[in-house]
Amino acid sequence: MEIRRWRQYNWPLLVCVIVLLVLGALAVYSATLTAVTGTGVPLHIIYPDHLINMGLGLALMVAFTFFDYQLLSSLARPIYLIGVFLLILVLFIGRTSEGARSWIEVGARTFQPTELAKLALIIVLAAYWQRFEQINDRWLVQLGGLVLAGLLGLLVLVQPDLGGAIVLASIWVMIAWGSGIRWQQILTLTLITLPLVYIGWQSDAFLDDYQKRRLLTFYYLLNDPSQVDFNDSYNVVQAMNALTQGGLFGAGLTNGLFSQGNYVPVQHTDFIFAVIGEEMGFFGGVVLITFQAILLWQALAIANQARDTFGRLMALGIFGMLFCHLVINLGMNMSLLPVTGLPLPLVSHGGSFMIITLISIGLLQSIALRSKRLVF
């Protein structure tokens, strides 16, 4: 008889989740209190949805904690095919917002297939490299994993969703690294990728003009600010203004000049860190980054303690997804990286990513719980 030892449950991970959810709930409340959309609709009406998404996500987190993650190995192929199907479907029936056709409407709610695709890629790559564990450093095996990731990445790029494609690439990198990819293979793939990036930049099939302007704006901000167009840099400039206004302890919740003045666009999603920086100050930002860092550390610890290759690679993939979201979101808020529209894990408003993130946390806990056995 197998008995799960609850002392294997990762309590620091749970504490991080709770702290970040509470911090996010406060920040989203403040960010939507007085803000309005471009059409004048008040954003505070979406706050109940944020709480519902949190509740649903937490329920699923608990469910996947009890779920035996090893069963996903046999389900990897249908999960992946569902992800591919939904990414194709969204290109035909998806709702367009901010230049990307990325959302499928389900009744009064919307769903973003790209978020499911991230988790599907983690599961299928972990199962794939577990199957070829004894020969995982061969070129054919590594190229097979790249094809699995590349198909999803291509479908996400044509929406177009550059941020989502970057996250999928980060997941592949982490799992490929964990599977034993050789440095010669990394170098060769990098040399192959560079001309493909150039072709993609020249083509209009993968990046819209506004996405290219975002990347060029970031380049000009670093090298020649005189060439920056005011409209293209508005988001970043206002986010930086909000952050610098916060000082050490901030202006106080719901008291931010830029946050409450509706100056920072999409401040409840992409630029939620600007709200935290202005209203909770440097101290609030440090608290957020500290708990995000502990969460990532625990994901790596769980990967290190996993009892099998599938669990280890899946934990590494989840780490790669969350790490990419965190670094890019903080980077674009602080004008250190281009704006690519990625939410902050467990903090930003966004139902699909919130739910997928909490499911991923549940899977991490499932891996932790099953890292050892007691047999009687």
Side-chain angles (χ1 to χ4, degrees):
M1 176 181 179
E2 180 182 320
I3 299 178
R4 300 187 191 102
R5 295 194 283 191
W6 278 93
R7 61 172 174 263
Q8 296 300 119
Y9 188 81
N10 194 302
W11 295 104
L13 182 61
L14 179 62
V15 171
C16 289
V17 168
I18 293 173
V19 170
L20 291 171
L21 285 176
V22 170
L23 189 61
L26 293 173
V28 172
Y29 170 77
S30 183
T32 58
L33 187 62
T34 59
V36 296
T37 66
T39 57
V41 178
L43 275 176
H44 66 80
I45 62 174
I46 69 171
Y47 188 67
D49 286 340
H50 183 74
L51 299 180
I52 291 172
N53 292 331
M54 283 175 51
L56 177 58
L58 285 170
L60 289 170
M61 181 187 77
V62 173
F64 276 90
T65 297
F66 287 98
F67 179 79
D68 187 350
Y69 73 91
Q70 293 170 322
L71 297 175
L72 291 174
S73 179
S74 60
L75 298 173
R77 183 176 297 178
I79 291 173
Y80 179 79
L81 292 176
I82 290 171
V84 172
F85 171 74
L86 290 174
L87 288 177
I88 294 174
L89 184 65
V90 77
L91 298 177
F92 293 95
I93 68 169
R95 191 192 74 183
T96 302
S97 177
E98 298 183 10
R101 188 183 292 273
S102 302
W103 289 265
I104 293 176
E105 293 184 343
V106 183
R109 300 178 65 85
T110 58
F111 168 70
Q112 197 168 3
T114 299
E115 306 304 338
L116 177 62
K118 295 171 187 176
L119 187 56
L121 182 62
I122 291 170
I123 294 169
V124 76
L125 287 182
Y128 173 80
W129 267 304
Q130 177 182 245
R131 179 181 178 185
F132 297 105
E133 186 174 3
Q134 302 303 319
I135 55 171
N136 56 20
D137 62 344
R138 294 186 182 179
W139 265 110
L140 190 61
V141 175
Q142 291 294 343
L143 288 175
L146 188 60
V147 168
L148 289 171
L151 176 59
L152 294 182
L154 186 64
L155 290 172
V156 170
L157 266 180
V158 297
Q159 292 181 8
D161 181 359
L162 178 61
I166 292 174
V167 176
L168 293 173
S170 299
I171 290 170
W172 176 84
V173 168
M174 280 303 304
I175 298 182
W177 170 76
S179 73
I181 191 171
R182 291 178 282 125
W183 69 267
Q184 298 96 327
Q185 293 170 324
I186 295 176
L187 179 61
T188 303
L189 290 174
T190 302
L191 293 176
I192 294 174
T193 301
L194 290 176
L196 294 178
V197 171
Y198 176 77
I199 293 172
W201 177 266
Q202 296 297 324
S203 171
D204 294 330
F206 301 111
L207 291 177
D208 278 353
D209 288 340
Y210 81 93
Q211 292 176 310
K212 293 181 180 180
R213 290 198 303 271
R214 285 180 175 179
L215 296 174
L216 288 173
T217 296
F218 173 71
Y219 174 80
Y220 290 141
L221 283 171
L222 292 180
N223 296 278
D224 189 3
S226 64
Q227 296 194 44
V228 175
D229 182 88
F230 174 78
N231 292 326
D232 292 336
S233 63
Y234 181 80
N235 292 17
V236 175
V237 170
Q238 296 294 22
M240 288 296 296
N241 287 338
L243 286 171
T244 55
Q245 188 78 11
L248 189 60
F249 296 106
L253 198 67
T254 73
N255 291 322
L257 174 64
F258 288 89
S259 305
Q260 302 307 314
N262 205 31
Y263 291 110
V264 184
V266 290
Q267 62 183 16
H268 59 301
T269 54
D270 300 349
F271 290 96
I272 193 70
F273 185 70
V275 176
I276 294 172
E278 182 181 21
E279 300 192 343
M280 304 181 193
F282 176 78
F283 177 76
V286 168
V287 169
L288 181 144
I289 293 173
T290 298
F291 279 95
Q292 292 277 6
I294 296 173
L295 187 149
L296 292 172
W297 171 37
Q298 293 307 309
L300 288 179
I302 291 171
N304 185 56
Q305 297 164 4
R307 61 180 302 171
D308 59 8
T309 299
F310 180 67
R312 180 174 63 85
L313 294 180
M314 196 159 63
L316 285 175
I318 293 170
F319 168 86
M321 176 182 72
L322 298 178
F323 179 80
C324 185
H325 269 268
L326 175 64
V327 170
I328 290 182
N329 184 275
L330 295 182
M332 69 184 189
N333 271 262
M334 295 184 282
S335 191
L336 299 175
L337 290 172
V339 176
T340 51
L342 290 181
L344 192 59
L346 301 174
V347 178
S348 294
H349 173 73
S352 299
F353 182 61
M354 174 70 75
I355 291 171
I356 289 298
T357 300
L358 287 168
I359 289 175
S360 300
I361 299 296
L363 290 173
L364 286 176
Q365 294 288 17
S366 178
I367 296 168
L369 280 177
R370 292 161 179 82
S371 60
K372 293 182 181 178
R373 283 182 179 177
L374 284 176
V375 180
F376 295 89

